Amino acid sequence: MPKDAPPNGGAASDEIMHGSDDRSVGAAIEYAVEILNVGTVVVCGHSDCGAMKALVNGGASRGSHLHSWLRNAEPSLIRFHAPTAPGCAELPVADRLAVANVAQQLDNLLGHPSVREAIAAGTLSLKGMYFDILNARVYLVDPDRNGLEPVPAPA
């Protein structure tokens, strides 16, 4: 699942919001939920993410394809500026943004009718995860507070 999946809003709003007619994200989600009947969709983010660093540092020049693609993360920037969750305060800025981005992508998935219907039916769950590369640790993302909960190491 692309980590910067744009919100669903139908063909017309996709073109207005993103300036393209790429329907691949919506098609992949619908196929996974409606045809493959997946039980869990996991959105993953990671530390030291180049895309998040580009957002924080303004590293994409206006008019570039990268700048255009990073616009999908604007809702994540808004979410990021909400009060910092206790589980993320010690993280570098770009890593905190990566956690907020995972939480935002979970919300974006709820914009797809097939996802909402499957969750309501109890056949689908959404999970957010964050991978701390340097420390080789995996965390669950709590989208309600943009926070992290450690995943216990296997026994």
Side-chain angles (χ1 to χ4, degrees):
M1 184 68 52
K3 70 178 169 192
D4 293 317
N8 184 45
S13 68
D14 279 352
E15 288 183 38
I16 292 167
M17 286 178 59
H18 307 292
S20 84
D21 60 357
D22 183 1
R23 312 269 189 277
S24 61
V25 172
I29 292 166
E30 288 174 4
Y31 189 79
V33 173
E34 297 172 17
I35 307 300
L36 297 178
N37 297 311
V38 299
T40 305
V41 174
V42 179
V43 175
C44 298
H46 60 87
S47 61
D48 203 32
C49 177
M52 298 300 105
K53 286 180 178 180
L55 279 170
V56 169
N57 300 325
S61 55
R62 276 207 184 282
S64 70
H65 292 288
L66 178 58
H67 182 267
S68 177
W69 179 69
L70 288 174
R71 284 189 322 194
N72 291 324
E74 286 175 5
S76 298
L77 282 169
I78 293 167
R79 183 181 210 114
F80 170 74
H81 288 293
T84 304
C88 295
E90 74 285 354
L91 294 177
V93 173
D95 291 351
R96 288 196 317 264
L97 179 55
V99 173
N101 188 50
V102 169
Q104 183 61 48
Q105 301 319 315
L106 292 170
D107 282 354
N108 289 353
L109 285 168
L110 292 172
H112 294 271
S114 59
V115 170
R116 285 193 313 271
E117 291 166 10
I119 289 172
T123 60
L124 178 68
S125 66
L126 301 179
K127 301 289 183 199
M129 298 184 81
Y130 173 80
F131 181 57
D132 177 348
I133 295 171
L134 183 64
N135 297 304
R137 291 292 318 251
V138 177
Y139 298 87
L140 292 175
V141 174
D142 177 349
D144 293 329
R145 61 181 191 89
N146 295 339
L148 298 175
E149 298 174 18
V151 173

